[in-house]
Amino acid sequence: MRNIIGSPVEGDSFFDRPAETARLRRDLDTDGKVLLTAPRRVGKTSLVLRVCELERKAGTKAAFLNVEGCGDELGFAEKLLQSLGQAGLHAELGERALGLLRKARQTIGGVKVAADGIDMELGAPEDSDHRSLSRALESVFRKIEDSDATVLIAIDELPEFLVNLSRKEEGPERVRRLLHWLRSLRQTYRTRLRWIFLGSVGLDAFVEERDLGKTVNDLAVHTLDALRTEEAHEFLSRLGASNGLPLSEPVRNEILAQLGWALPHHLQLMFHTLRDLGISPINVASVSTARERLLSPDQVRHFDTWRQRLNEQLTPDHAEAARGLLGALSSDPQGRTRSQLLAVLMASRPGADPGAVEDLLSSLLLRLQRDGYLLESDGRYAFRSFLLREFWHRREIR
Ligand SMILES: Nc1ncnc2c1ncn2[C@@H]1O[C@H](COP(=O)(O)OP(=O)(O)O)[C@@H](O)[C@H]1O
Ligand SMILES: [Mg+2]
């Protein structure tokens, strides 16, 4: 198991989560289409890559695609076809669809994606099967449905792509069309096809905010958590053993106590920092030294995405309110009650309508819990990760 930080892990470096992979495959079997939700860095991408691998061994053709960087619907379609090809579905792809896509890309200056989005014309009006982008793709799905292969399509970072798309010309309408089209695709071709949607922005939160909830309400929601304590011990033991730096049980306990939340990413980060200390064997005191290093300004990049994401996903006003709540909570390991947090928000909005501020608080608390910032327990809200809490405190308060 290699010490990998940030990129999805595969092969021997993947710490196996057999219960999780089995549960996800079971949900796929029962429902056929799954929305995998979890905070970022819990290991969604890695887990789904493993599920794809297991499904391939069981005879399924599994296509995994990350659509984050797709510029528009054409890019999305190309990526989809490309990954179906890589999954071994060459015969089903149809040269015609691919050729038309390629031609459309070449003349993209002249072809207007704009309002039609996924229904954009492909310049072949005489050929009803390939008249538009959506139809050309459907012709491929029809062939898959007529074949005897089971096909799994896992789409990573769809919301990221949709956020970018929504900011383009006619963006909201294009997003709406794409989501509706994907839903009808899932409804129409459901004998052979299975779907997993995942991403670092929750698709559920994305559609709710835009009143598009019904475009994903056919998906079975499957959640993934960070590691349980025993798993986290095993994770650390394995990392230590494979990298020549064994971690004793007291050291592992100390790491988990300092992290507060056994996020695989943070375990890897902590191990990396411990290794960099150059001490062997590692003792309990080394863990605090490593933690200080992790929180030093030159390590900020590991946590700063948590700050940036707020700005990317929320309106400036809501992002500021969220920062206000997190700032207050970062000084308070015990957490705060809802009414204390309401007071924090009210203080920053003198004269605001209390009902509206309460609504804002509810929606922010929901969001911050979903995204892994906060945990509610016995009516108190607190940072889930002690590491993130301390980062926040140093960055925003101290
Ligand atoms: N099963 C795992 N085994 C080992 N490391 C993992 C595992 N899952 C996650 N990680 C760690 O977390 C990081 C992020 O994993 P990733 O799968 O990209 O998460 P997500 O897609 O939820 O953001 C990886 O680079 C690695 O450091
Ligand atoms: Mg991911």
Side-chain angles (χ1 to χ4, degrees):
M1 188 172 165
R2 285 184 302 145
N3 185 200
I4 296 176
I5 297 164
S7 339
V9 291
E10 291 183 79
D12 288 347
S13 296
F14 177 79
F15 172 77
D16 203 4
R17 305 181 69 180
E20 292 301 343
T21 44
R23 196 163 62 91
L24 184 53
R25 292 179 77 193
R26 216 163 42 232
D27 279 2
L28 264 183
D29 253 354
T30 331
D31 301 301
K33 21 190 189 162
V34 168
L35 172 61
L36 176 63
T37 68
R40 74 193 57 115
R41 303 298 201 196
V42 160
K44 298 177 292 294
T45 301
S46 308
L47 187 85
V48 170
L49 285 170
R50 171 54 63 99
V51 165
C52 286
E53 195 188 316
L54 294 170
E55 286 292 322
R56 277 182 205 118
K57 282 188 186 142
T60 298
K61 299 215 187 298
F64 179 96
L65 57 151
N66 178 331
V67 296
E68 183 172 7
C70 297
D72 54 23
E73 293 85 344
L74 206 48
F76 175 84
E78 280 168 333
K79 193 82 183 234
L80 183 59
L81 293 187
Q82 217 174 29
S83 40
L84 287 171
Q86 282 160 0
L89 289 156
H90 306 285
E92 287 77 3
L93 285 189
E95 279 307 303
R96 177 113 176 105
L98 272 174
L100 282 168
L101 251 63
R102 242 174 258 134
K103 209 171 96 199
R105 172 60 72 207
Q106 279 160 10
T107 52
I108 189 72
V111 178
K112 212 161 158 50
V113 182
D116 289 340
I118 194 71
D119 296 316
M120 70 179 274
E121 305 273 321
L122 280 184
E126 73 294 347
D127 175 355
S128 70
D129 270 357
H130 296 89
R131 200 164 45 209
S132 62
L133 186 54
S134 51
R135 284 187 160 239
L137 290 172
E138 280 160 39
S139 74
V140 171
F141 279 93
R142 218 164 28 240
K143 285 190 200 134
I144 293 178
E145 192 77 348
D146 290 341
S147 76
D148 52 9
T150 306
V151 178
L152 167 64
I153 303 179
I155 306 189
D156 201 355
E157 308 291 12
L158 180 66
E160 297 268 355
F161 166 58
L162 295 176
V163 166
N164 291 335
L165 191 62
S166 71
R167 292 184 180 139
K168 290 184 190 272
E169 195 186 340
E170 307 280 357
E173 170 60 12
R174 288 163 70 176
V175 166
R176 195 190 64 79
R177 271 186 193 240
L178 184 63
L179 284 169
H180 276 285
W181 175 74
L182 274 171
R183 187 183 198 280
S184 71
L185 206 59
R186 295 191 296 268
Q187 304 294 345
T188 313
Y189 306 104
R190 54 183 176 196
T191 321
R192 301 275 168 230
L193 280 148
R194 314 249 185 91
W195 301 83
I196 306 180
F197 292 89
L198 64 153
S200 30
V201 179
L203 185 58
D204 41 0
F206 177 89
V207 294
E208 273 164 30
E209 275 156 25
R210 289 160 180 83
D211 253 344
L212 288 167
K214 62 176 181 301
T215 61
V216 300
N217 65 5
D218 60 316
L219 301 175
V221 177
H222 179 106
T223 54
L224 178 66
D225 253 320
L227 304 172
R228 284 177 286 113
T229 308
E230 318 83 77
E231 283 180 308
H233 272 278
E234 179 64 26
F235 189 104
L236 288 169
S237 295
R238 287 260 194 94
L239 260 186
S242 344
N243 292 281
L245 195 66
L247 304 175
S248 67
E249 190 179 350
V251 167
R252 283 181 268 128
N253 279 330
E254 181 65 14
I255 294 175
L256 297 180
Q258 299 249 351
L259 294 180
W261 187 34
L263 198 64
H265 179 235
H266 286 177
L267 295 178
Q268 296 262 18
L269 262 181
M270 184 51 117
F271 184 76
H272 182 79
T273 317
L274 281 170
R275 230 172 140 192
D276 270 0
L277 295 180
I279 307 169
S280 183
I282 293 289
N283 56 38
V284 170
S286 331
V287 179
S288 301
T289 314
R291 175 179 178 271
E292 281 309 302
R293 275 221 188 159
L294 257 181
L295 290 165
S296 67
D298 57 326
Q299 300 294 314
V300 156
R301 70 200 137 86
H302 297 302
F303 307 103
D304 217 40
T305 52
W306 291 81
R307 272 182 68 250
Q308 288 160 12
R309 289 285 173 135
L310 292 178
N311 298 332
E312 285 161 19
Q313 287 166 38
L314 301 172
T315 62
D317 180 46
H318 289 192
E320 199 192 313
R323 275 199 303 275
L325 294 174
L326 292 169
L329 289 170
S330 74
S331 320
D332 219 338
Q334 305 306 318
R336 297 202 180 171
T337 63
R338 195 188 174 90
S339 52
Q340 287 170 326
L341 291 172
L342 183 62
V344 170
L345 273 194
M346 289 299 288
S348 66
R349 302 166 176 247
D353 166 25
V357 179
E358 269 201 54
D359 285 349
L360 176 60
L361 179 65
S362 298
S363 91
L364 289 177
L365 286 178
L366 184 67
R367 176 116 203 189
L368 292 172
Q369 287 179 88
R370 258 187 190 168
D371 286 352
Y373 293 81
L374 301 182
L375 188 69
E376 188 265 337
S377 154
D378 286 339
R380 299 185 84 83
Y381 293 85
F383 266 88
R384 252 186 131 154
S385 159
F386 301 168
L387 207 54
L388 187 61
R389 181 185 72 218
E390 192 53 31
F391 159 77
W392 210 279
H393 190 64
R394 294 181 192 201
R395 178 80 173 69
E396 300 267 308
I397 307 290
R398 219 155 80 178

